[in-house]
Amino acid sequence: MNLPNKLTMLRIILIPVFLVLVLVESIPMHYLWALVVYLIACFTDTLDGHIARSRGLVTDFGKLMDPLADKLLVMSALVAFIPVADVPVWVVVVILAREFMVTSLRLIAAGKGVVIAADKWGKIKTISQMIWLNYTLLMLWLFPEAGWAHTVFVVLMGIVVATTVLSGANYMLKNKELYSDR
């Protein structure tokens, strides 16, 4: 197993550690440690992709597991934030539905020999999610009772929902020939 794939596996291994740190309140400064683990996991995502492309270490395993690891990390954070940050369930469902929809579309495309690369809207969605999830951990750690912090949290959540819906619709419209009856 090459280094980028090891970094991807590390990200997957960090998910339960992250969840324990978010959910177990008896751990001192648990939100700070959850933020640190989440930032490390995000960094491994950037690092594994850079190393794989720059050193010619792109593998089928990495093509499959890297996006899966990303989705598992984000989904874990979203589900954990339902009870600890009062993230509405409908927000989580919208985000998860988009991820399943786009992943399914990519599987259909792959079956037809077509690769659907991430586009501008998908990247904007990913960046907005990372900012919101990191901010949420920072808010829970530093400003759990501050009204202004909660307002920023809600605004960022709205941006994430909007970019999620826009990017999902964009993928479906741009690739409708893959699933239409024509």
Side-chain angles (χ1 to χ4, degrees):
M1 184 174 286
N2 66 28
L3 179 58
N5 292 341
K6 288 178 182 176
L7 290 169
T8 296
M9 292 308 298
L10 173 61
R11 190 159 60 259
I12 292 170
I13 291 166
L14 288 174
I15 292 169
V17 175
F18 167 77
L19 286 172
V20 165
L21 291 169
V22 168
L23 297 171
V24 178
E25 294 179 12
S26 61
I27 298 171
M29 299 192 327
H30 66 113
Y31 291 130
L32 169 62
W33 294 118
L35 176 61
V36 169
V37 168
Y38 191 81
L39 288 171
I40 290 169
C42 289
F43 179 70
T44 66
D45 182 31
T46 302
L47 188 60
D48 70 11
H50 172 73
I51 292 170
R53 287 185 297 277
S54 68
R55 297 184 187 174
L57 298 174
V58 175
T59 65
D60 288 339
F61 177 87
K63 288 178 190 176
L64 173 69
M65 293 305 292
D66 181 64
L68 179 61
D70 298 344
K71 287 180 185 359
L72 289 172
L73 180 63
V74 169
M75 289 178 184
S76 298
L78 289 171
V79 171
F81 289 166
I82 291 171
V84 301
D86 292 325
V87 171
V89 171
W90 71 265
V91 168
V92 174
V93 170
V94 166
I95 294 168
L96 296 181
R98 183 264 183 213
E99 296 303 330
F100 286 123
M101 186 176 65
V102 171
T103 299
S104 298
L105 183 63
R106 283 191 166 123
L107 289 172
I108 292 167
K112 296 180 179 188
V114 176
V115 174
I116 300 175
D119 69 0
K120 176 180 74 170
W121 282 107
K123 290 176 183 178
I124 291 169
K125 182 266 315 174
T126 299
I127 290 167
S128 69
Q129 280 181 350
M130 284 185 180
I131 291 168
W132 177 53
L133 295 173
N134 281 296
Y135 175 81
T136 300
L137 289 165
L138 195 62
M139 176 192 73
L140 290 169
W141 171 46
L142 292 176
F143 312 109
E145 304 297 324
W148 66 267
H150 189 267
T151 300
V152 172
F153 165 79
V154 171
V155 168
L156 290 173
M157 181 171 53
I159 291 168
V160 167
V161 170
T163 58
T164 296
V165 170
L166 284 171
S167 70
N170 182 53
Y171 276 110
M172 296 307 289
L173 290 172
K174 278 180 29 181
N175 297 287
K176 64 183 173 200
E177 71 281 353
L178 292 170
Y179 58 88
S180 66
D181 289 335
R182 294 184 218 177

